[in-house]
Amino acid sequence: MMRYLKLVNFEINRFSKIYISLLLITLVSQFAGVIIVTKSLLKDARKIMSDERLSEAAYIATYNGIDFSHIANTLLFVGPIALSAVALIFYIFLIWYRDWFGKNTFIYRLLMLPTSRLSIYLSKATAIFLMVLGLIAFQIIILPMENALFNSNVPEALLNEMSISTITKASQVLALIIPSTFTQFLLSYGIGLMIMSILFTAIMFERSFRIKGAVMGLVYCGIAAALFLAPVFVIVLGKFHFYPNELFGLLLALGIIVTGLSIWLGSWLLKNRVTV
C-alpha cells in the first residue's frame, strides 16, 4: 500500500508544474474575465439607457438586469476549463509514453521496481483522477469569490444576483463539471473514469503488440463503447423502453463492468505482455 501511495505521489509530482500552471491560468483568466466583461456589460447597459432614454428600473424591466451567467459563458471563463480538460486528456497518453520515449527510457526502471505492476497501473490512473478532482475543487472554491467580485462591481439597481447553484445550472460547462446531485456526479465522473481505463488498456495493447496492438486497442475501444451504450441503442432503435432509474442502473452496472474489465485486461497486458 505504501509503495502504491508513493507511486501516486511520484506521478502527481511529475505533472505538478503543468498542473499548477493550469490552476494559475484558470485563476487569472476567470478573474480577469469577471472584471473585463463586467465593465463591458455596464458600458453597454449605460449606452442602451442613454440611447433609449430608460431609467434603471425600466432597463431592468426590459432587459432583466445583469447577472453572472453573462460571465460564466464567456471564453475567458470557460476557456481555462477546456484547456485543463484537454491537458488532462493528453496526459492520459503522456503519462505512459513519456516513460517509453523519454531520455532515459524510464519505463524499464519503473517495471523493475519490487512492486506489483498493477500498482503502477493504478497509481497512474489514481494520479490523473485526483488531479481532475483537484481542478473541480479549485473551481468550486474560486466561483463564490468571482461571484462576490461581480456583485460588488455591478450597481445594485442593475444587479440580478444569482446563487452559486443557479450559476452552475445556467452554464452548460459548469453544470457538466459540477453536478448538482450525487447521482449526476456518479454518472459524469464514473464515465470519465471508465473512459480513462479504456484508453489505458488501448495503450497497453499498443505497447504489447505495436502496430497490431494499435488496431486491437481501437477495436477494444469500440467494443467497450458499444457495450456501455447498448441500453441507449436499444431505446433509440425502439426495441425496448427503460424508465430513467432503470436506465441509470443499467448504465452504472455496465460502467462498472467495463471499467473493471479494462483495468483487469490492462494490468494483465502490463504484467504478461509488456516486457523490459
Side-chain angles (χ1 to χ4, degrees):
M1 186 65 179
M2 286 302 298
R3 287 174 179 171
Y4 160 73
L5 292 176
K6 286 180 180 179
L7 284 170
V8 173
N9 182 62
F10 172 73
E11 292 294 347
I12 291 175
N13 286 337
R14 294 175 83 189
F15 192 64
S16 59
K17 291 182 180 178
I18 299 175
Y19 189 68
I20 292 171
S21 297
L22 291 173
L23 294 178
L24 289 174
I25 289 170
T26 301
L27 182 70
V28 173
S29 179
Q30 289 190 353
F31 273 92
V34 171
I35 295 170
I36 293 169
V37 177
T38 300
K39 288 183 178 179
S40 177
L41 290 170
L42 290 173
K43 182 179 178 182
D44 291 343
R46 292 189 182 103
K47 187 175 185 303
I48 290 172
M49 285 188 286
S50 175
D51 292 345
E52 299 182 13
R53 299 180 182 280
L54 297 175
S55 64
E56 290 179 340
Y59 177 85
I60 288 285
T62 306
Y63 295 99
N64 300 319
I66 301 173
D67 57 57
F68 196 86
S69 64
H70 294 93
I71 307 288
N73 293 306
T74 61
L75 182 61
L76 282 171
F77 193 91
V78 301
I81 297 174
L83 176 65
S84 299
V86 171
L88 287 174
I89 291 171
F90 177 72
Y91 194 62
I92 289 175
F93 297 91
L94 182 64
I95 200 171
W96 286 106
Y97 286 111
R98 175 181 55 187
D99 292 340
W100 262 281
F101 299 114
K103 274 187 177 181
N104 301 315
T105 319
F106 185 75
I107 190 66
Y108 298 128
R109 294 167 58 192
L110 195 60
L111 294 179
M112 292 299 291
L113 289 174
T115 187
S116 167
R117 291 191 179 182
L118 176 61
S119 296
I120 298 172
Y121 181 99
L122 291 178
S123 68
K124 292 180 181 291
T126 303
I128 292 176
F129 194 65
L130 287 176
M131 285 187 280
V132 170
L133 294 181
L135 284 168
I136 303 310
F138 184 70
Q139 183 64 74
I140 292 173
I141 290 170
I142 65 174
L143 186 57
M145 302 178 190
E146 294 163 346
N147 190 35
L149 177 62
F150 172 79
N151 291 343
S152 66
N153 285 333
V154 178
E156 189 174 346
L158 298 177
L159 177 63
N160 183 14
E161 195 167 347
M162 300 175 70
S163 66
I164 299 302
S165 61
T166 305
I167 291 171
T168 56
K169 291 175 183 176
S171 168
Q172 290 184 341
V173 174
L174 289 178
L176 179 64
I177 67 171
I178 309 176
S180 58
T181 66
F182 184 67
T183 299
Q184 290 176 339
F185 174 84
L186 284 179
L187 194 58
S188 296
Y189 289 96
I191 290 174
L193 186 59
M194 178 188 69
I195 292 172
M196 180 174 65
S197 66
I198 292 171
L199 291 176
F200 269 22
T201 301
I203 292 168
M204 290 302 100
F205 270 118
E206 190 278 328
R207 289 289 83 198
S208 299
F209 305 104
R210 298 305 188 266
I211 296 176
K212 289 182 180 179
V215 176
M216 293 168 67
L218 289 173
V219 171
Y220 178 76
C221 288
I223 292 172
L227 177 60
F228 176 69
L229 295 173
V232 179
F233 293 148
V234 169
I235 294 173
V236 171
L237 294 173
K239 301 295 183 181
F240 203 80
H241 174 74
F242 296 106
Y243 290 107
N245 288 340
E246 292 174 335
L247 180 61
F248 172 76
L250 280 172
L251 291 176
L252 181 61
L254 288 171
I256 292 172
I257 291 170
V258 172
T259 302
L261 177 63
S262 298
I263 293 173
W264 174 81
L265 184 54
S267 61
W268 184 86
L269 289 168
L270 183 62
K271 180 181 178 181
N272 296 288
R273 291 293 182 177
V274 177
T275 61
V276 295

